[in-house]
Amino acid sequence: MLIASVTVCGAAPARATSFTPDRADLAASWLARQMTDGQRFEDEFGGVVFPNQSLTVDAVFAFATAKTAGDYGARAMAWLARPEILSGYAGDGTFTSYAGTTAKLALAAQVRGIDPASFGGVDLIGRLRELQQPSGRFSDRSPFGEFSNIFTQSFALLALDRTAAGAPPAASSFLVAARCADGGYPLLFGQPTCVSEVDTTAMAVQALIAVGRHSDAAVSLRWLVSVQHADGGFGNYSGVGNATSTGLAGQALRAGGRIGAAIKARSFLIGLQGGRAADPGWRGAIPNTAGFFDPFTTARATALAILGLAGFGFPYLTAHG
């Protein structure tokens, strides 16, 4: 399904325009070194440390994409399966259930070859299906509000497509109906003005490819290509080319067969990366914007940039190999 050869960091310059894992491996190596106890990410506010499950899952995807640091990915999943960590992220299943995080965690389990129907003693797939509304939308069950969006719907389709029952057609139709007139996707459903965003469009494209709606994915792929910068980068909100948007867009372009545009995105990411000449503490890291190695943003930027560097799409991603 996914085949990657192992290369060394001293590869010839020509490899900058191919989908070999050398640059992704370098980035994954830096990302792994940032993990607490080699298993998780944490945030600190006011002297209090909080678990960062979302970034930890992003790292699991990044390691699987780069085909490296498998032991870090395994430890991360074991940490995520701890009851207090799992319930703090996806909800307790009774009082709170969050569709987006449940779907994202289920997909991470599938990528790692773990049964998502029995993850940390929780049936993530069953819980996710319970959160589908008659309209096809996956919604949260929480007294704190509704946080579901295009990412939620996309991750749900990606995870459920890998199950025996598959993804519900109504769910994919609901996603397609949310598309803006220009072909891209907004972040939130039901807004008075539909404004397309790069990150959400990249996720929606991959979900549609996974469930076989290729003509619908092609519409959004054309929009992505139309907003790509001349240097290969993509930007959201401010429009400035950045690693997170370019990583996701590059991954979607590769999954959708837009190889030329995907290679341009990869070249942009390589230009951001701290190489062997960088400060040893930043070697391999990919800041979100050029030269700005912010410790609070670079880890997530690196994790998502790896997706564009290696080019393996979510519909096919596996840690095997």
Side-chain angles (χ1 to χ4, degrees), residues 277-296:
D279 181 299
W282 292 110
R283 189 170 297 137
I286 303 174
N288 200 39
T289 53
F292 186 60
F293 288 95
D294 179 358
F296 297 104

Side-chain angles (χ1 to χ4, degrees), residues 20 49 89 101 111 123 140 168 172 198 205 220 233 258 276 306 315:
T20 52
V49 176
Y89 185 52
T101 51
V111 166
D123 181 358
D140 298 328
S172 56
V198 171
V205 161
S220 300
R258 291 352 187 236
R276 286 180 293 172
I306 288 170

